[in-house]
Amino acid sequence: MTDDGPTTLSENDIEQAELADWRVLFTALHARYKTEDFATALKLVKKIGKAAEKANHHPDVDLSYGQVDVRLWSHDAGGVTERDVDLARQITGFASDVGAEPAPGELSVLEIALDTPTYDDVKPFWSAVLGYETSKPHAEELNDPNGTRPTLWFQKADNAKGEVEQRFHLDVRVPPEVAEDRVRNALEAGGTLVTDERAPTVWVLADAHGNHACVTTWLGRDPDHGSSEGDAAGKVDVGDE
């Protein structure tokens, strides 16, 4: 550990640790364990929680019927460190103890990439509309502070300018009581309001380069229409507004 915090490990360093149950995906270690029932999965989670408290190092854990997903990384370092490797080894042992089966082949992580000539123009908007934070090690990335939603990465593309012919957009569903604040923050961060015709169901926004996002709530929805925001955004011709 340095004065600036723990040292992050490279993918090659992690590979040398021979963590058979685990895979490094972007900046974190991931594992998935299958169990025969919910009780066994819960037993595994309890073991992980006890070890995490003892180590004062807490992984992200998702519990569902017959399955436990674990994500390990050091927030203060912005990547995987030796303490993650140590806890990963312990968790592997816990899984073996309760009869949980590793399923590393099922693991994947989704990252969204936005082509842009410069992220300085649009990053504040996307940070505000998504409620994301700038990645510590990578200024061209925005991360969910809770670690549950995809990273947004700004890929430099000098030709990604001018009129936007958009084929898909992001819908951000939020609780009704925070929707107007989310919209306001996005506008203050350089966004524009495309339409609020169907607010408080949907606000259609755009970043400084014309890329669209919708802030949405459950209010005002036809229960027979389903939960898709497609009609709301689809009413706007994104090439001609």
Side-chain angles (χ1 to χ4, degrees), residues 41 43 65 67 71 89 110 135 137 142-145 171 173-174 176 179 207-208 211 217 224 231 234-236 240:
K43 187 184 298 184
Y65 184 85
Q67 181 172 298
R71 188 176 78 123
R89 287 199 177 100
L110 175 65
S135 167
L142 290 173
N143 301 144
D144 176 13
D171 287 333
R173 177 65 65 91
V174 297
D207 69 14
N211 302 293
T217 76
D224 296 326
D231 281 357
K235 288 183 177 180
V236 180
D240 297 320

Side-chain angles (χ1 to χ4, degrees), residues 151-227:
T151 291
L152 178 60
W153 171 55
F154 301 98
Q155 176 173 265
K156 184 171 177 55
D158 293 335
N159 294 326
K161 60 182 70 173
E163 186 175 289
V164 175
E165 296 182 4
Q166 196 165 349
R167 300 298 296 274
F168 71 88
H169 62 274
L170 301 185
D171 287 333
V172 186
R173 177 65 65 91
V174 297
E177 66 270 21
V178 304
E180 290 189 11
D181 283 341
R182 184 66 63 89
V183 171
R184 186 180 305 111
N185 291 340
L187 298 179
E188 291 175 353
T192 58
L193 178 66
V194 177
T195 178
D196 59 359
E197 178 184 352
R198 290 192 58 198
T201 307
V202 180
W203 289 261
V204 183
L205 309 173
D207 69 14
H209 294 170
N211 302 293
H212 282 208
C214 294
V215 174
T216 78
T217 76
W218 62 266
L219 291 173
R221 295 185 179 278
D222 180 351
D224 296 326
H225 183 67
S227 60

Side-chain angles (χ1 to χ4, degrees), residues 88-105:
R89 287 199 177 100
Q90 292 185 61
I91 293 171
T92 295
F94 299 151
S96 178
D97 291 343
V98 302
E101 292 293 329

